[in-house]
Amino acid sequence: EMDATLRSRYIAEAKFLRALYYFDLVRAWGGVPLVTTLNPSTKLQRSSKEEIYTQIETDLLAAITDLTEKSDIPPAELGRATKGAAKALLAKVYLFKGDFPNAEKYAMEVITSGKYGLEPDFIDANGVNGEHGIESVFEIGALGVEAEAGNQYANVQGVRGTPNRGWGFNRPTPDLRSSFEPGDPRLKGTIIDLGDVLDGIIIAGDGLTPDVTTDANGNILETECYSRKVWTPGNDVPSQWNHNRRILRYADVLLMAAEALNENNKPGEALIYLNKVRERARQGDPYILPDITTTDKTELRNKILTERRHELAMEGHRFWDLVRTGQAASVLGSLGFKTGQHELLPIPQSEIDISQGSLIQNPNW
């Protein structure tokens, strides 16, 4: 027995989270076991990818009805799922399905809601000053403690050495660095280099490893650098756990809208939202990052994908964007990507064993 409206909201939040988790699962492994009851079989078969996507859509459409707007969430409860979060996630789901009319519909509903905007400073879109801010559509909160309330996602990527912030995994590549347009401020908003000073702290890095690694021909394979997207003020390990991870932010929604509008043969409208992202990125400097003007569908499609790479770098979007747009083989082929295999991850053998053979391995693994 409880307040009926609150009960409906809790159920809607649970459906949003189930949809979010299944979206990650279906992108990574394809069809997976679908659990919608309290007492499922212990030997579940894999459902089809289409069945998983149907459940995701069903959950999100139902959640939208009973979720509240972000503006109605009390400050102490920020981080709960909202109507805007469900619509933004649904837009992304439709983008991955190639359903561009619906992707446009739900991305535009988030935009026209007036509930969101871009942080004036690009760094704040992922930084502490923008936590639960105007650009945040859905984020996972954290505390600066080495425990369940902290964020080890940020810790494992934190600066290694001096200051001692973490393990130094997931470093930006030389290819990412060289891909930014000249003068793009987002380069320094994405990559921490040795010698940088952040919040008064000098980044000296790991003195026990080479600063630059090269191949036999002198080509740079790796430079010691780190992700700026997970930086939190501090010089010790616990403070690095204090990163709120943005799962959905407004810049992503704008670029989803631009992509869907272009695919729906509305390039003029697509340019509006693409250039909003570039306008924020240039930070008032009229000599860099000029507005995109092309209305050629293929060229604009590639411009939007490139903009996603730079705006959302190090945030966990790039690989999935390459797979869904069919560009993974051409971009990642030299790194070992094989068509028909690497679009999906292998199912861990331990999971196949637990299922007593009910789960079947993905192709070519």
Side-chain angles (χ1 to χ4, degrees):
E1 293 295 330
M2 64 181 295
D3 178 81
T5 301
L6 184 60
R7 179 181 185 277
S8 295
R9 195 189 85 184
Y10 284 168
I11 292 172
E13 289 174 353
K15 288 182 176 180
F16 169 85
L17 292 172
R18 181 167 67 182
L20 176 65
Y21 302 148
Y22 267 117
F23 186 47
D24 279 346
L25 288 167
V26 74
R27 288 187 296 172
W29 286 282
V32 293
L34 180 60
V35 178
T36 58
T37 64
L38 294 177
N39 298 294
S41 168
T42 57
K43 293 185 66 176
L44 286 171
Q45 303 289 327
R46 295 180 71 174
S47 296
S48 68
K49 181 174 70 172
E50 291 72 24
E51 288 172 322
I52 300 299
Y53 269 114
T54 295
Q55 184 63 51
I56 292 169
E57 291 176 61
T58 300
D59 278 341
L60 289 175
L61 288 169
I64 288 169
T65 300
D66 292 319
L67 288 173
T68 187
E69 295 284 5
K70 180 182 176 182
S71 55
D72 296 326
I73 300 290
E77 296 188 22
L78 286 171
R80 289 186 176 277
T82 63
K83 286 184 184 293
K87 289 178 180 180
L89 181 56
L90 191 54
K92 180 160 289 192
V93 168
Y94 284 129
L95 207 64
F96 273 74
K97 291 186 66 179
D99 183 346
F100 298 111
N102 271 319
E104 175 190 334
K105 168 182 167 62
Y106 287 100
M108 290 305 302
E109 285 191 14
V110 177
I111 292 170
T112 58
S113 72
K115 304 294 183 181
Y116 305 95
L118 295 173
E119 292 284 350
D121 191 333
F122 172 73
I123 291 175
D124 290 341
N126 285 282
V128 294
N129 291 334
E131 289 178 353
H132 299 298
I134 191 171
E135 189 162 344
S136 174
V137 181
F138 185 70
E139 70 181 82
I140 301 172
L143 298 177
V145 292
E146 295 182 83
E148 289 82 357
N151 185 354
Q152 194 163 23
Y153 174 85
N155 165 244
V156 297
Q157 298 179 67
V159 174
R160 182 182 179 93
T162 305
N164 181 20
R165 307 302 309 286
W167 301 359
F169 293 174
N170 194 32
R171 293 180 179 176
T173 63
D175 185 71
L176 172 62
R177 182 190 298 272
S178 64
S179 72
F180 280 88
E181 294 174 58
D184 190 338
R186 291 176 296 189
L187 173 62
K188 290 308 299 178
T190 300
I191 300 177
I192 299 174
D193 288 307
L194 300 184
D196 285 351
V197 179
L198 301 177
D199 297 312
I201 299 169
I202 299 174
I203 308 301
D206 185 359
L208 301 179
T209 59
D211 295 347
V212 178
T213 304
T214 60
D215 62 17
N217 298 317
N219 298 312
I220 295 177
L221 299 176
E222 182 183 7
T223 301
E224 185 180 346
C225 58
Y226 302 91
S227 172
R228 180 73 171 81
K229 297 291 184 72
V230 298
W231 172 266
T232 53
N235 59 9
D236 58 8
V237 172
S239 58
Q240 181 62 67
W241 290 62
N242 192 30
H243 168 71
N244 283 18
R245 186 182 177 193
R246 276 56 160 193
I247 303 299
L248 293 162
R249 60 184 180 92
Y250 189 60
D252 188 7
V253 176
L254 292 174
L255 292 173
M256 286 194 286
E259 183 174 345
L261 286 161
N262 181 55
E263 297 299 333
N264 293 333
N265 300 309
K266 303 173 185 177
E269 294 177 58
L271 288 171
I272 293 172
Y273 302 109
L274 170 60
N275 287 324
K276 281 183 180 294
V277 174
R278 291 175 66 81
E279 179 183 12
R280 191 270 297 274
R282 72 173 69 102
Q283 298 287 285
D285 188 340
Y287 299 105
I288 60 173
L289 301 177
D291 280 357
I292 303 298
T293 58
T294 182
T295 56
D296 177 81
K297 190 172 188 176
T298 300
E299 186 177 0
L300 184 52
R301 179 188 298 132
N302 290 331
K303 293 282 188 184
I304 294 169
L305 187 62
T306 298
E307 198 66 33
R308 287 185 63 82
R309 183 185 192 189
H310 297 147
E311 176 67 27
L312 304 171
M314 309 302 296
E315 295 180 45
H317 300 278
R318 175 68 171 169
F319 177 77
W320 309 117
D321 280 346
L322 291 174
V323 169
R324 71 176 175 82
T325 58
Q327 298 190 34
S330 61
V331 174
L332 303 175
S334 63
L335 301 174
F337 184 94
K338 296 179 182 178
T339 301
Q341 178 183 7
H342 293 131
E343 294 88 350
L344 297 175
L345 301 181
I347 298 175
Q349 186 61 45
S350 59
E351 294 296 324
I352 295 175
D353 293 342
I354 290 171
S355 78
Q356 302 175 60
S358 294
L359 298 181
I360 299 175
Q361 186 56 272
N362 278 328
N364 300 313
W365 285 100

